[in-house]
Amino acid sequence: MPPALEEDASIDTLRESARTCRRCPLWRDATQTVFGEGPPRADIIFVGEQPGDREDLAGKPFVGPAGDIFDAILEEAGLDRARVYVTNAVKHFKFQPRGKRRIHSKPNVGEMRACHWWLAKELKIVKPRLAVALGATAAHSLIGKPIAVTRLRGETMTRDDGLPVFITIHPSFILRIRDPADRRAERRRFLADLVAVGKAAASSVASIRR
Ligand code: URA
C-alpha cells in the first residue's frame, strides 16, 4: 500500500504515491502505473479507460494509436492538450499475453472501483469545471453507475458533487471501424463532441467569471 496522503497533497505527491499502488492485482503484470498528466489545475479533465501497451511502456496516458487520434481531433477542435488534464479510470495496463504481443483486456468493475480512489483524488486537486468520459469504463467510474454511452453520447450528466460529465466514445472505437466511410463519419462525430466540450468549458468559465 502507498503511504497515507495528506488532505492537501499535490498532484506530484499523488503521482509519486500511485507508483507503488497495490489496490488491485493489475500492478503485478504491468510495467508501471500510468498516472494522469496535465496542469495541476485545469478546466477540463479527459478520462479514458486504462493505459494500452504503448502507454504502459512510456508511463504516460494516451501516447499510442488511440492517443494519436485523440490528439489530432483535440487539436482540430481547438483544444490544447497542454492545457487539459488527461487520465484514465484504471491506471495499470490489463492484458492477455498472445505470443510476443500483449492484447488489451477490459478492466472489471472491481479493478475500476479500486482505482477510483485515485481518480477521486485527481478530481479534488485538478478541480476541473468539466469532465469528459471517453467510453463506458470512464463514464461508469465518473458517474458511479453503468452508463449507456451509445444512448447518452453527447449529453452532459451532473454528478452529486456538481461536476458536469460530458459523455462520448473512446477514441479507439474509431480505430476499430473497418469501413473507411463509416470511420470518417465517426471521426466527424467525435470532432463535433470535442467542439461541444470546448464550448461547454468556455461557457462555464465565462459564467463563473461574470
Ligand atoms: N486507451 C485509454 O483508455 N487510455 C490510454 O491512455 C490509452 C489508450
Side-chain angles (χ1 to χ4, degrees):
M1 271 287 167
L5 282 162
E6 302 287 332
E7 261 306 294
D8 59 351
S10 70
I11 202 76
D12 289 340
T13 311
L14 196 64
R15 180 178 296 107
E16 186 57 31
S17 183
R19 281 159 53 92
T20 51
C21 182
R22 305 288 185 261
R23 286 183 174 266
C24 82
L26 293 183
W27 65 273
R28 291 177 201 277
D29 296 328
T31 307
Q32 57 192 317
T33 306
V34 178
F35 205 71
E37 211 181 48
R41 290 286 294 270
D43 288 334
I44 311 176
I45 184 169
F46 284 91
V47 183
E49 183 197 68
Q50 62 159 354
D53 183 74
R54 294 261 296 276
E55 288 79 12
D56 170 76
L57 297 173
K60 289 168 175 291
F62 283 100
V63 292
D68 290 344
I69 191 156
F70 175 61
D71 282 354
I73 301 176
L74 205 58
E75 196 181 334
E76 279 174 53
L79 295 166
D80 181 354
R81 176 148 176 184
R83 297 188 60 188
V84 300
Y85 188 89
V86 179
T87 192
N88 282 300
V90 171
K91 290 169 174 54
H92 280 111
F93 179 36
K94 182 176 181 183
F95 61 92
Q96 292 291 329
R98 199 171 299 158
K100 285 189 181 159
R101 297 184 61 204
R102 304 188 299 169
I103 308 298
H104 164 277
S105 176
K106 189 178 156 67
N108 63 37
V109 174
E111 291 150 356
M112 182 208 76
R113 288 212 181 111
C115 216
H116 181 266
W117 193 86
W118 295 108
L119 180 59
K121 299 252 181 231
E122 287 176 295
L123 291 171
K124 233 174 161 181
I125 295 172
V126 176
K127 295 185 175 48
R129 297 186 204 283
L130 178 66
V132 182
L134 300 169
T137 303
H140 189 162
S141 185
L142 282 163
I143 304 293
K145 62 181 183 192
I147 300 296
V149 170
T150 326
R151 189 164 55 80
L152 293 173
R153 186 225 186 121
E155 293 199 14
T156 302
M157 301 179 75
T158 305
R159 286 162 38 114
D160 293 345
D161 64 2
L163 177 66
V165 179
F166 185 93
I167 311 291
T168 185
I169 55 146
H170 192 284
S172 66
F173 174 64
I174 302 170
L175 297 176
R176 290 197 299 271
I177 300 174
R178 294 273 171 104
D179 180 79
D182 290 348
R183 188 194 271 219
R184 280 196 300 276
E186 194 52 54
R187 196 186 187 286
R188 279 195 299 274
R189 283 188 75 193
F190 189 57
L191 172 60
D193 283 351
L194 295 198
V195 168
V197 163
K199 283 188 183 147
S203 73
S204 79
V205 173
S207 69
I208 287 157
R209 289 205 182 120
R210 217 173 282 142

